[in-house]
Amino acid sequence: MWSTVGDELAAQIAGRHFGISGTVRRLDGERDLNYRVSTDDGSRYVLKLHHPDSDPRELDLQNEVLRHLARSSVDLAPRVVSTASGQSIAQVEWVDGIRYARLLSWLDGVPWADSPATPERMTDLGRRLAEIDVALADFAHPADRRPELAWRITAAPQIAAQAMTMAGAIDESLRPVVARVVDRYTQHTRPALRGLPEQVVHHDANEHNILLDASGSVAGIIDFGDVVRVPRITELAVACAYAMQGHDDPIGAILPLVSGYDAIAPLGVAELDVLVDLIAVRLAMSVCMSARQLADDPANTYLGISQAGVRSALITLDGLDRELGTFRLRDHVGFEANPAARSVRQYFESGRAEPAPIVAAGTRPDVTTTHYGEQVTEGISLLREVAAVPDSPVYVPLDGVVFEVGDDRVATTHRTPDGTEFWTVIHGIVPGLEPGTAVERSQSIGRTGPAGRVGVQLATHRSGLTTPVRDGDADLWRSICPDPNLLIGDPDPGSVRPRRHSEDLARLRTVNFSRAMDISYRQPLHIVRGEGAYLFDRDGNRWLDLVNNVCHVGHAHPRVTAAAHRQATVLNTNTRYLHESIVEYARRIVELMPDPLRVCFFVNSGSEANDLALRLAAAHTGSRDVLVLDHAYHGNLSSLIGLSPYKFARSGGEGPPGTTWVCELPDVYRGRLRAGRDQDLAKGYAVSVDDRLSELHAAGRSPAAFFVESLQSCGGQIVLPDGYLRQTFAAVRAAGGICVADEVQVGLGRVGSHLWGFEMQGAVPDIVTLGKPLGNGHPLAAVITTPEVARSFETGMEWFNTFGGNPVSAEVGLSVLDVLRDEGLQANAAAVGDRMLSGLRELAARHSLIGDVRGAGLFIGIELSHDDRRPAAAEAAAVKEAAKRRGVLLSTDGPDGNVLKIKPPLVLSAAGCDHFLEVFDAALGAGEFTPASP
Ligand code: PMP
């Protein structure tokens, strides 16, 4: 009866105050009355009628938080609906007196509680909560500290004290657990919270307040009734306290939640340090609050929800080694697990420790030793064995105190000079001392057994003491038990690196590398070996590699690797000594260049080469202004991002610097002037260069250089119209600039008909930059210029590059040139390239998606298009994946990402080419991609 009256009244309030009419249904709630209001047009709202004791300033706080989120890019929270008169809170008459009413938009979704908490979902939740926290980081409100909020995590001691005094309120078995948790909070965590970042957080991400959409992704967070300014880490602690419930390994369960959060809002180490404790505090508070509130209101079933899970999670957490828990969190987000381990390793590596021998010299060289880090049946071994005389004394390597004595082992505690504790454990001995005994370096602590061998283990944390073979996370255990060879001192101990699963490699990339770094394919490949034009993955699958234009003469070419090895075993220095190799290499490069290019600089990357070219041009001309083609990429250095529209004009780019002048890309397939339709393509596109030069002139400036790739690579595998470079070079030179041909991608025989791309155009640049193919994967790049330009660079400032042109690099470069010549790879590029181009043109006749096939030698582009040459980017991405499923690796590029790039090692055979054509035909024909709607 009361509820019907309530529903009617709620409906009236919605209508009268908020102008919303609809059907009304009461929802669960802890303190306030909540109603769902559904209108005829399908809109839904939540009408909140707040408890008469509610503080209107706190309601305003909630509204302001929601408004702040609504203004941000985070679309996860309900929106505030104002009253008809523009207020966000209305005072309304309710059956028990005046209440405050608020109306919020309804969020669709099912509660987290109703779905399994998979690791993916945990990661998703972490990310979403972090997004909210990032959005709220700059939010402030006069009432945001909320000293009266009982759930405020920092109120834990008071809440626990009250609950403890209420007889029977908390189970006897839980009372000591709660007491321990709160005591630790007061002693240890609360002082640590002081320095942590604070902000307003949601503070109640429990399983009923998180909504999932139909795909299972987190789509909404509701109930902002507990928002409060606290240490930011509390938000994650609260979410973890709920998300870990029901899991046998609660810390393991929350790792993805923590790393999801960290991916968006990186966690400080001091925050990670308190997280496990704060989770325990939140669970303890839940126990206390539920006891307290249930005593006040025995009929409120909402309070009892999830208490079983809370209790068992609290008990499990209480039984865990908290520091080990924190180590796991640290390890998972990419820090070293135990932060103290560095100091221990340094004690040894710096030579300060000077450990004494553990046994007298061994007499049994035939014993097989387990190597540290080796996989042993179920886990990894954390000890090393040393051979000794049977029944001989075993010595403690450093001063310390005997910590534990087992049947056949002794653990001793030591300290580094900075006070860091660590342990040595000697296994396989007959112990001779009691725990607590102080021992001195070289003092005997027992005797070897009949086998003679003893196992040595080092530990930076007590959790490492118990067993020398551990399951699972090798990085974690390597931090807790560093290589005991630090004690033994074998100069070549045969250390073994952990074998990481592909999934772990992928995860570690995200935490220890910048996420700005990309990886190919939806399902990344774990490649372990290359040979010729093929790559092999960890499972032995073979992939035809049409992407790698770096391993020019074939992956892992034996002549190249032998050259590297041969020279590395003899000498590797810098260019400040006379050496045969670098001079021979320079001579060979000059033989490959047209006159008057004869002065070489050796560097380590295409970017370095282009950066140096920029300096040469500036030195030669006294100018800074540079012309580039639209969509060009010239390298990753600051100077070159500014010359690369491919970067500065796309996602994350900040536009061109004032000295960069972008000229039209001569794209004769999709550009302003088109092959087969327009005349004088070179001249027509060269106009753009003339225009930029005129603009420069009008501004009273003159060009330093025109940077241009001889064929456009990132720009979409574009072959320049005949005569374009000759015309533009002439114009640039006439205006006082010099011409730089970037041959980083296209040079060294790739185009087949010529050694260099600029030769296809009958042009000779003033500077040529080379990179990728020169070293077949070894970082070797070069700048070749004229004596005049080189002369201008001789200003008195020395030019030096530490690695560039060192003897190993030079020998590698020479071997690449030898292989290219001896195996006829330029001719192969011409022949196989022609075969591929004609095969592709045949396919184009059958597959309308192929808009254009172009290229030279083994530098080929396939542009996928819809009608009117509209770019088919999604299809290109899908074809790339479809080809991958059939064992062929392709990449996509171009301004719209719709050009499939083909630039394999030049050893690609006719059979490899035909295999690709078959795969490509099938990938296009299978329709395994979703064509975009017309
Ligand atoms: N120029 C061009 C045309 C390139 O394609 C690249 C690399 N993709 C570079 C320069 C930069 O070379 P690196 O990555 O070796 O620095």
Side-chain angles (χ1 to χ4, degrees):
M1 182 59 198
W2 190 88
S3 98
T4 322
V5 173
D7 287 2
E8 275 171 22
L9 210 48
Q12 282 170 20
I13 290 169
R16 189 172 327 131
H17 292 273
F18 295 94
I20 305 273
S21 66
T23 52
V24 160
R25 215 191 91 197
R26 172 107 191 252
L27 305 168
D28 276 343
E30 191 182 326
R31 215 172 110 80
D32 305 322
L33 294 171
N34 295 327
Y35 287 92
R36 186 176 71 194
V37 187
S38 312
T39 64
D40 290 345
D41 69 0
S43 307
R44 288 190 289 178
Y45 301 88
V46 182
L47 177 67
K48 297 181 87 72
L49 298 167
H50 293 278
H51 195 273
D53 293 347
S54 303
D55 180 343
R57 286 175 313 159
E58 292 187 351
L59 301 180
D60 184 61
L61 165 68
Q62 288 186 48
N63 277 350
E64 289 308 314
V65 164
L66 294 176
R67 289 209 162 115
H68 192 86
L69 289 174
R71 285 191 294 271
S72 76
S73 57
V74 179
D75 189 18
L76 289 165
R79 309 226 160 195
V80 179
V81 182
S82 298
T83 64
S85 60
Q87 308 290 305
S88 55
I89 303 172
Q91 275 189 306
V92 300
E93 291 216 14
W94 189 250
V95 277
D96 56 1
I98 299 290
R99 284 202 169 214
Y100 295 106
R102 291 162 64 227
L103 192 71
L104 304 178
S105 63
W106 175 266
L107 293 188
D108 278 326
V110 293
W112 174 278
D114 298 347
S115 302
T118 59
E120 295 71 33
R121 204 162 280 159
M122 290 276 202
T123 308
D124 188 30
L125 175 60
R127 297 177 80 97
R128 300 285 92 85
L129 292 176
E131 282 167 11
I132 292 181
D133 285 359
V134 168
L136 288 178
D138 60 350
F139 174 85
H141 187 280
D144 64 18
R145 294 217 169 254
R146 304 188 68 181
E148 305 300 326
L149 178 68
W151 274 108
R152 188 169 42 84
I153 195 122
T154 42
Q158 297 90 293
I159 298 301
Q162 281 173 11
M164 291 292 207
T165 56
M166 297 165 65
I170 304 180
D171 275 5
E172 278 310 310
S173 61
L174 275 177
R175 290 176 72 90
V177 179
V178 170
R180 264 197 301 278
V181 167
V182 173
D183 194 45
R184 189 172 153 88
Y185 171 77
T186 324
Q187 302 297 321
H188 173 83
T189 320
R190 189 163 58 188
L193 291 182
R194 286 198 191 108
L196 299 187
E198 279 193 343
Q199 68 163 78
V200 172
V201 296
H202 174 273
H203 202 240
D204 196 15
N206 73 52
E207 65 273 36
H208 302 285
N209 288 344
I210 303 159
L211 301 179
L212 305 179
D213 65 16
S215 72
S217 303
V218 174
I221 307 285
I222 55 170
D223 192 353
F224 282 68
D226 284 353
V227 283
V228 58
R229 178 175 296 276
V230 279
R232 170 187 81 148
I233 188 67
T234 313
E235 178 68 0
L236 189 54
V238 172
C240 289
Y242 294 99
M244 69 170 36
Q245 290 175 28
H247 292 271
D248 295 342
D249 173 12
I251 300 288
I254 59 166
L255 293 176
L257 174 50
V258 174
S259 60
Y261 188 98
D262 179 75
I264 302 291
L267 293 163
V269 288
E271 293 181 300
L272 287 163
D273 274 350
V274 296
L275 184 54
V276 181
D277 281 329
L278 285 186
I279 296 170
V281 170
R282 173 69 180 206
L283 290 166
M285 280 185 92
S286 179
V287 168
C288 297
M289 291 290 279
S290 140
R292 206 175 79 157
Q293 292 169 322
L294 218 49
D296 286 352
D297 178 11
N300 191 338
T301 49
Y302 182 81
L303 292 171
I305 296 176
S306 81
Q307 273 307 300
V310 171
R311 280 158 204 239
S312 74
L314 181 59
I315 290 166
T316 314
L317 218 52
D318 181 54
L320 292 180
D321 183 326
R322 298 278 170 80
E323 284 176 350
L324 182 58
T326 303
F327 291 172
R328 290 178 71 191
L329 299 178
R330 286 176 51 96
D331 177 65
H332 202 74
V333 302
F335 291 108
E336 177 172 8
N338 181 2
R342 287 177 68 223
S343 165
V344 177
R345 289 190 305 264
Q346 261 304 294
Y347 181 42
F348 289 94
E349 289 186 36
S350 68
R352 272 172 294 156
E354 296 186 55
I358 290 160
V359 292
T363 54
R364 299 167 56 99
D366 58 323
V367 291
T368 47
T369 59
T370 308
H371 285 309
Y372 173 75
E374 209 161 46
Q375 306 277 333
V376 180
T377 44
E378 307 231 305
I380 51 158
S381 166
L382 300 170
L383 56 66
R384 283 189 186 272
E385 293 187 338
V386 290
V389 180
D391 194 26
S392 63
V394 175
Y395 310 109
V396 65
L398 296 160
D399 292 352
V401 176
V402 176
F403 178 73
E404 258 176 21
V405 177
D407 289 345
D408 65 347
R409 69 186 185 103
V410 174
T412 312
T413 312
H414 313 274
R415 277 182 194 279
T416 65
D418 68 9
T420 308
E421 265 191 334
F422 66 96
W423 292 264
T424 56
V425 195
I426 316 290
H427 298 265
I429 65 169
V430 184
L433 284 174
E434 293 302 313
T437 316
V439 283
E440 283 182 13
R441 180 177 184 276
S442 293
Q443 185 176 330
S444 168
I445 51 169
R447 299 188 72 78
T448 58
R453 275 181 290 167
V454 301
V456 184
Q457 195 184 348
L458 188 60
T460 62
H461 187 255
R462 53 181 186 276
S463 56
L465 294 177
T466 42
T467 146
V469 173
R470 294 295 188 142
D471 283 347
D473 194 338
D475 290 301
L476 173 76
W477 289 110
R478 191 162 64 172
S479 175
I480 294 173
C481 292
D483 188 343
N485 193 47
L486 290 170
L487 287 164
I488 299 164
D490 180 344
D492 188 8
S495 58
V496 177
R497 278 190 302 194
R499 250 172 83 87
R500 297 190 174 92
H501 296 293
S502 303
E503 303 74 51
D504 289 331
L505 296 180
R507 186 179 60 75
L508 289 171
R509 279 174 63 106
T510 67
V511 293
N512 290 128
F513 300 155
S514 164
R515 288 188 180 87
M517 208 167 109
D518 208 358
I519 193 158
S520 298
Y521 305 111
R522 279 176 221 152
Q523 273 294 313
L525 290 172
H526 183 168
I527 298 296
V528 295
R529 189 170 76 80
E531 192 182 320
Y534 293 91
L535 293 171
F536 297 84
D537 68 18
R538 190 169 175 155
D539 300 323
N541 299 311
R542 193 175 83 146
W543 305 85
L544 178 61
D545 181 3
L546 300 185
V547 179
N548 199 311
N549 53 358
V550 176
C551 291
H552 199 59
V553 300
H555 287 285
H557 195 290
R559 282 179 72 184
V560 179
T561 55
H565 180 254
R566 200 170 46 240
Q567 186 57 42
T569 53
V570 178
L571 176 75
N572 202 12
T573 54
N574 61 44
T575 46
R576 287 201 177 108
Y577 301 98
L578 294 179
H579 197 275
E580 282 282 345
S581 308
I582 185 173
V583 173
E584 172 67 6
Y585 188 50
R587 293 295 305 176
R588 291 282 297 277
I589 290 281
V590 170
E591 285 170 20
L592 301 176
M593 288 285 159
D595 290 346
L597 297 161
R598 72 156 156 84
V599 181
C600 304
F601 297 82
F602 295 113
V603 292
N604 312 290
S605 67
S607 299
E608 277 196 347
N610 280 332
D611 184 74
L612 178 58
L614 191 59
R615 290 183 62 197
L616 290 170
H620 190 65
T621 61
S623 301
R624 303 259 159 218
D625 292 290
V626 176
L627 280 68
V628 296
L629 289 191
D630 204 1
H631 305 296
Y633 176 66
H634 292 294
N636 62 53
L637 303 184
S638 314
S639 59
L640 301 169
I641 295 302
L643 293 189
S644 303
Y646 186 71
K647 294 288 178 191
F648 70 61
R650 298 168 94 203
S651 175
E654 293 177 354
T659 45
T660 294
W661 302 76
V662 179
C663 308
E664 187 178 23
L665 176 70
D667 175 355
V668 299
Y669 172 68
R670 200 145 60 86
R672 181 173 54 86
L673 303 171
R674 296 182 177 181
R677 185 188 75 185
D678 301 297
Q679 301 298 314
D680 281 339
L681 297 172
K683 198 166 160 206
Y685 278 113
V687 164
S688 172
V689 172
D690 294 336
D691 289 347
R692 295 296 91 78
L693 292 171
S694 307
E695 286 159 25
L696 263 173
H697 185 70
R701 291 148 73 161
S702 63
F706 175 37
F707 270 69
V708 61
E709 275 189 283
S710 305
L711 292 85
Q712 304 307 296
S713 55
C714 298
Q717 304 291 96
I718 288 174
V719 184
L720 298 173
D722 276 348
Y724 177 80
L725 287 188
R726 264 201 320 279
Q727 294 192 32
T728 52
F729 281 13
V732 170
R733 283 170 178 151
I738 62 173
C739 300
V740 180
D742 181 335
E743 292 266 342
V744 169
Q745 285 220 22
V746 299
L748 207 62
R750 174 163 299 281
V751 297
S753 58
H754 300 82
L755 192 66
W756 310 113
F758 58 79
E759 293 177 294
M760 289 169 68
Q761 290 267 320
V764 179
D766 303 293
I767 300 180
V768 180
T769 58
L770 304 177
K772 294 180 190 289
L774 289 192
N776 212 47
H778 180 91
L780 173 60
V783 177
I784 301 95
T785 190
T786 65
E788 289 79 16
V789 171
R791 177 73 195 94
S792 303
F793 194 56
E794 292 159 9
T795 59
M797 182 193 288
E798 188 204 15
W799 180 78
F800 177 65
N801 186 304
T802 302
F803 303 115
N806 68 61
V808 171
S809 299
E811 284 298 325
V812 166
L814 283 164
S815 70
V816 170
L817 298 182
D818 290 347
V819 173
L820 189 75
R821 179 197 57 212
D822 298 344
E823 295 189 11
L825 295 182
Q826 184 185 334
N828 188 63
V832 179
D834 281 351
R835 186 184 184 96
M836 191 178 289
L837 282 169
S838 53
L840 286 169
R841 286 184 178 126
E842 274 170 33
L843 291 181
R846 282 194 281 118
H847 296 286
S848 62
L849 203 54
I850 301 182
D852 191 31
V853 171
R854 56 188 176 241
L858 286 174
F859 182 82
I860 291 175
I862 311 163
E863 179 147 0
L864 301 191
S865 309
H866 299 296
D867 298 346
D868 302 330
R869 303 191 175 182
R870 277 181 304 113
E875 289 76 2
V879 168
K880 180 177 84 170
E881 293 285 346
K884 181 196 164 209
R885 282 193 289 278
R886 294 170 168 81
V888 174
L889 305 182
L890 293 169
S891 59
T892 51
D893 218 327
D896 295 292
N898 65 324
V899 180
L900 293 159
K901 289 174 92 168
I902 301 197
K903 47 190 178 63
L906 300 194
V907 290
L908 180 73
S909 64
C913 166
D914 295 349
H915 174 56
F916 157 68
L917 290 169
E918 266 168 44
V919 162
F920 190 53
D921 189 15
L924 283 167
E928 285 170 27
F929 45 87
T930 328
S933 49

PDB file of all heavy atoms in Angstrom, residues 604-608 610 633-636 709 713-714 742 744-745 772, ligand 1:
ATOM      1  N   ASN A 604      73.884   5.997 -38.578  1.00  0.00           N
ATOM      2  CA  ASN A 604      73.244   4.754 -38.106  1.00  0.00           C
ATOM      3  C   ASN A 604      71.811   4.546 -38.558  1.00  0.00           C
ATOM      4  O   ASN A 604      71.225   3.515 -38.270  1.00  0.00           O
ATOM      5  CB  ASN A 604      73.228   4.717 -36.575  1.00  0.00           C
ATOM      6  CG  ASN A 604      74.570   5.054 -36.012  1.00  0.00           C
ATOM      7  OD1 ASN A 604      75.490   4.276 -36.144  1.00  0.00           O
ATOM      8  ND2 ASN A 604      74.688   6.221 -35.421  1.00  0.00           N
ATOM      9  N   SER A 605      71.190   5.548 -39.126  1.00  0.00           N
ATOM     10  CA  SER A 605      69.783   5.379 -39.497  1.00  0.00           C
ATOM     11  C   SER A 605      69.436   6.361 -40.601  1.00  0.00           C
ATOM     12  O   SER A 605      70.151   7.366 -40.796  1.00  0.00           O
ATOM     13  CB  SER A 605      68.880   5.655 -38.291  1.00  0.00           C
ATOM     14  OG  SER A 605      68.967   7.019 -37.940  1.00  0.00           O
ATOM     15  N   GLY A 606      68.357   6.066 -41.270  1.00  0.00           N
ATOM     16  CA  GLY A 606      67.868   6.960 -42.309  1.00  0.00           C
ATOM     17  C   GLY A 606      67.594   8.340 -41.734  1.00  0.00           C
ATOM     18  O   GLY A 606      67.844   9.365 -42.386  1.00  0.00           O
ATOM     19  N   SER A 607      67.083   8.373 -40.520  1.00  0.00           N
ATOM     20  CA  SER A 607      66.784   9.662 -39.895  1.00  0.00           C
ATOM     21  C   SER A 607      68.064  10.464 -39.698  1.00  0.00           C
ATOM     22  O   SER A 607      68.114  11.658 -39.994  1.00  0.00           O
ATOM     23  CB  SER A 607      66.108   9.451 -38.541  1.00  0.00           C
ATOM     24  OG  SER A 607      64.900   8.767 -38.714  1.00  0.00           O
ATOM     25  N   GLU A 608      69.087   9.799 -39.202  1.00  0.00           N
ATOM     26  CA  GLU A 608      70.359  10.513 -39.004  1.00  0.00           C
ATOM     27  C   GLU A 608      70.899  11.014 -40.336  1.00  0.00           C
ATOM     28  O   GLU A 608      71.474  12.097 -40.410  1.00  0.00           O
ATOM     29  CB  GLU A 608      71.398   9.588 -38.359  1.00  0.00           C
ATOM     30  CG  GLU A 608      71.283   9.505 -36.859  1.00  0.00           C
ATOM     31  CD  GLU A 608      72.544   8.903 -36.241  1.00  0.00           C
ATOM     32  OE1 GLU A 608      73.380   8.327 -36.975  1.00  0.00           O
ATOM     33  OE2 GLU A 608      72.680   9.014 -35.026  1.00  0.00           O
ATOM     34  N   ASN A 610      69.158  11.881 -42.989  1.00  0.00           N
ATOM     35  CA  ASN A 610      68.396  13.050 -43.438  1.00  0.00           C
ATOM     36  C   ASN A 610      68.680  14.278 -42.575  1.00  0.00           C
ATOM     37  O   ASN A 610      68.702  15.405 -43.073  1.00  0.00           O
ATOM     38  CB  ASN A 610      66.899  12.727 -43.469  1.00  0.00           C
ATOM     39  CG  ASN A 610      66.532  11.946 -44.715  1.00  0.00           C
ATOM     40  OD1 ASN A 610      67.195  12.074 -45.745  1.00  0.00           O
ATOM     41  ND2 ASN A 610      65.500  11.117 -44.629  1.00  0.00           N
ATOM     42  N   TYR A 633      57.496  11.095 -45.662  1.00  0.00           N
ATOM     43  CA  TYR A 633      58.097  10.790 -44.359  1.00  0.00           C
ATOM     44  C   TYR A 633      59.602  10.759 -44.555  1.00  0.00           C
ATOM     45  O   TYR A 633      60.101  10.072 -45.444  1.00  0.00           O
ATOM     46  CB  TYR A 633      57.607   9.433 -43.836  1.00  0.00           C
ATOM     47  CG  TYR A 633      58.292   9.038 -42.543  1.00  0.00           C
ATOM     48  CD1 TYR A 633      58.077   9.768 -41.379  1.00  0.00           C
ATOM     49  CD2 TYR A 633      59.184   7.971 -42.488  1.00  0.00           C
ATOM     50  CE1 TYR A 633      58.722   9.432 -40.194  1.00  0.00           C
ATOM     51  CE2 TYR A 633      59.822   7.625 -41.304  1.00  0.00           C
ATOM     52  CZ  TYR A 633      59.588   8.361 -40.164  1.00  0.00           C
ATOM     53  OH  TYR A 633      60.227   8.039 -38.991  1.00  0.00           O
ATOM     54  N   HIS A 634      60.319  11.511 -43.701  1.00  0.00           N
ATOM     55  CA  HIS A 634      61.774  11.530 -43.830  1.00  0.00           C
ATOM     56  C   HIS A 634      62.497  11.131 -42.554  1.00  0.00           C
ATOM     57  O   HIS A 634      63.717  11.201 -42.502  1.00  0.00           O
ATOM     58  CB  HIS A 634      62.249  12.897 -44.321  1.00  0.00           C
ATOM     59  CG  HIS A 634      61.847  13.194 -45.739  1.00  0.00           C
ATOM     60  ND1 HIS A 634      62.325  12.490 -46.818  1.00  0.00           N
ATOM     61  CD2 HIS A 634      60.968  14.108 -46.244  1.00  0.00           C
ATOM     62  CE1 HIS A 634      61.785  12.961 -47.933  1.00  0.00           C
ATOM     63  NE2 HIS A 634      60.951  13.933 -47.621  1.00  0.00           N
ATOM     64  N   GLY A 635      61.765  10.751 -41.493  1.00  0.00           N
ATOM     65  CA  GLY A 635      62.481  10.252 -40.319  1.00  0.00           C
ATOM     66  C   GLY A 635      61.890  10.696 -39.003  1.00  0.00           C
ATOM     67  O   GLY A 635      61.002  11.546 -38.955  1.00  0.00           O
ATOM     68  N   ASN A 636      62.426  10.092 -37.936  1.00  0.00           N
ATOM     69  CA  ASN A 636      61.792  10.259 -36.615  1.00  0.00           C
ATOM     70  C   ASN A 636      62.447  11.325 -35.725  1.00  0.00           C
ATOM     71  O   ASN A 636      62.005  11.533 -34.610  1.00  0.00           O
ATOM     72  CB  ASN A 636      61.774   8.916 -35.873  1.00  0.00           C
ATOM     73  CG  ASN A 636      63.171   8.388 -35.603  1.00  0.00           C
ATOM     74  OD1 ASN A 636      64.007   9.091 -35.049  1.00  0.00           O
ATOM     75  ND2 ASN A 636      63.440   7.157 -35.990  1.00  0.00           N
ATOM     76  N   GLU A 709      61.732  11.840 -51.946  1.00  0.00           N
ATOM     77  CA  GLU A 709      62.026  10.428 -52.207  1.00  0.00           C
ATOM     78  C   GLU A 709      61.944  10.209 -53.715  1.00  0.00           C
ATOM     79  O   GLU A 709      61.040  10.743 -54.370  1.00  0.00           O
ATOM     80  CB  GLU A 709      60.968   9.538 -51.553  1.00  0.00           C
ATOM     81  CG  GLU A 709      61.206   9.215 -50.120  1.00  0.00           C
ATOM     82  CD  GLU A 709      60.201   8.161 -49.686  1.00  0.00           C
ATOM     83  OE1 GLU A 709      59.027   8.499 -49.455  1.00  0.00           O
ATOM     84  OE2 GLU A 709      60.585   6.986 -49.604  1.00  0.00           O
ATOM     85  N   SER A 713      57.221   6.418 -50.897  1.00  0.00           N
ATOM     86  CA  SER A 713      56.917   5.162 -50.199  1.00  0.00           C
ATOM     87  C   SER A 713      55.710   5.331 -49.264  1.00  0.00           C
ATOM     88  O   SER A 713      54.605   4.911 -49.611  1.00  0.00           O
ATOM     89  CB  SER A 713      58.152   4.667 -49.458  1.00  0.00           C
ATOM     90  OG  SER A 713      58.653   5.662 -48.590  1.00  0.00           O
ATOM     91  N   CYS A 714      55.936   5.990 -48.110  1.00  0.00           N
ATOM     92  CA  CYS A 714      54.803   6.174 -47.189  1.00  0.00           C
ATOM     93  C   CYS A 714      53.663   6.919 -47.879  1.00  0.00           C
ATOM     94  O   CYS A 714      52.496   6.736 -47.553  1.00  0.00           O
ATOM     95  CB  CYS A 714      55.244   6.942 -45.949  1.00  0.00           C
ATOM     96  SG  CYS A 714      56.503   6.073 -45.018  1.00  0.00           S
ATOM     97  N   ASP A 742      66.024  11.217 -51.111  1.00  0.00           N
ATOM     98  CA  ASP A 742      65.921  10.254 -50.004  1.00  0.00           C
ATOM     99  C   ASP A 742      65.727   8.879 -50.633  1.00  0.00           C
ATOM    100  O   ASP A 742      64.666   8.577 -51.179  1.00  0.00           O
ATOM    101  CB  ASP A 742      64.740  10.661 -49.109  1.00  0.00           C
ATOM    102  CG  ASP A 742      64.564   9.723 -47.918  1.00  0.00           C
ATOM    103  OD1 ASP A 742      64.998   8.564 -48.013  1.00  0.00           O
ATOM    104  OD2 ASP A 742      63.961  10.147 -46.915  1.00  0.00           O
ATOM    105  N   VAL A 744      66.278   6.124 -48.869  1.00  0.00           N
ATOM    106  CA  VAL A 744      66.290   5.230 -47.710  1.00  0.00           C
ATOM    107  C   VAL A 744      65.460   3.977 -47.984  1.00  0.00           C
ATOM    108  O   VAL A 744      65.857   2.865 -47.646  1.00  0.00           O
ATOM    109  CB  VAL A 744      65.804   5.986 -46.454  1.00  0.00           C
ATOM    110  CG1 VAL A 744      65.549   5.020 -45.308  1.00  0.00           C
ATOM    111  CG2 VAL A 744      66.822   7.044 -46.037  1.00  0.00           C
ATOM    112  N   GLN A 745      64.312   4.146 -48.619  1.00  0.00           N
ATOM    113  CA  GLN A 745      63.477   2.968 -48.893  1.00  0.00           C
ATOM    114  C   GLN A 745      63.739   2.365 -50.269  1.00  0.00           C
ATOM    115  O   GLN A 745      63.666   1.167 -50.434  1.00  0.00           O
ATOM    116  CB  GLN A 745      61.988   3.341 -48.817  1.00  0.00           C
ATOM    117  CG  GLN A 745      61.484   3.533 -47.423  1.00  0.00           C
ATOM    118  CD  GLN A 745      60.072   2.956 -47.224  1.00  0.00           C
ATOM    119  OE1 GLN A 745      59.613   2.083 -47.950  1.00  0.00           O
ATOM    120  NE2 GLN A 745      59.401   3.456 -46.212  1.00  0.00           N
ATOM    121  N   LYS A 772      67.981   2.016 -44.757  1.00  0.00           N
ATOM    122  CA  LYS A 772      67.488   0.655 -44.545  1.00  0.00           C
ATOM    123  C   LYS A 772      68.307  -0.477 -45.151  1.00  0.00           C
ATOM    124  O   LYS A 772      68.830  -1.313 -44.423  1.00  0.00           O
ATOM    125  CB  LYS A 772      66.049   0.556 -45.038  1.00  0.00           C
ATOM    126  CG  LYS A 772      65.064   1.400 -44.240  1.00  0.00           C
ATOM    127  CD  LYS A 772      63.670   1.250 -44.788  1.00  0.00           C
ATOM    128  CE  LYS A 772      62.697   2.239 -44.191  1.00  0.00           C
ATOM    129  NZ  LYS A 772      62.352   1.983 -42.799  1.00  0.00           N
TER     130      LYS A 772
HETATM  131  N1  PMP B   1      63.272   8.249 -45.075  1.00  0.00           N
HETATM  132  C1  PMP B   1      62.373   7.389 -45.537  1.00  0.00           C
HETATM  133  C2  PMP B   1      61.838   7.539 -46.914  1.00  0.00           C
HETATM  134  C3  PMP B   1      61.925   6.350 -44.731  1.00  0.00           C
HETATM  135  O1  PMP B   1      61.015   5.501 -45.193  1.00  0.00           O
HETATM  136  C4  PMP B   1      62.454   6.214 -43.443  1.00  0.00           C
HETATM  137  C5  PMP B   1      62.016   5.082 -42.522  1.00  0.00           C
HETATM  138  N2  PMP B   1      60.812   4.519 -42.785  1.00  0.00           N
HETATM  139  C6  PMP B   1      63.385   7.146 -42.986  1.00  0.00           C
HETATM  140  C7  PMP B   1      63.791   8.133 -43.838  1.00  0.00           C
HETATM  141  C8  PMP B   1      63.967   7.080 -41.605  1.00  0.00           C
HETATM  142  O2  PMP B   1      64.822   6.007 -41.480  1.00  0.00           O
HETATM  143  P1  PMP B   1      65.108   5.339 -40.046  1.00  0.00           P
HETATM  144  O3  PMP B   1      63.865   4.717 -39.578  1.00  0.00           O
HETATM  145  O4  PMP B   1      66.230   4.383 -40.343  1.00  0.00           O
HETATM  146  O5  PMP B   1      65.584   6.439 -39.148  1.00  0.00           O
END
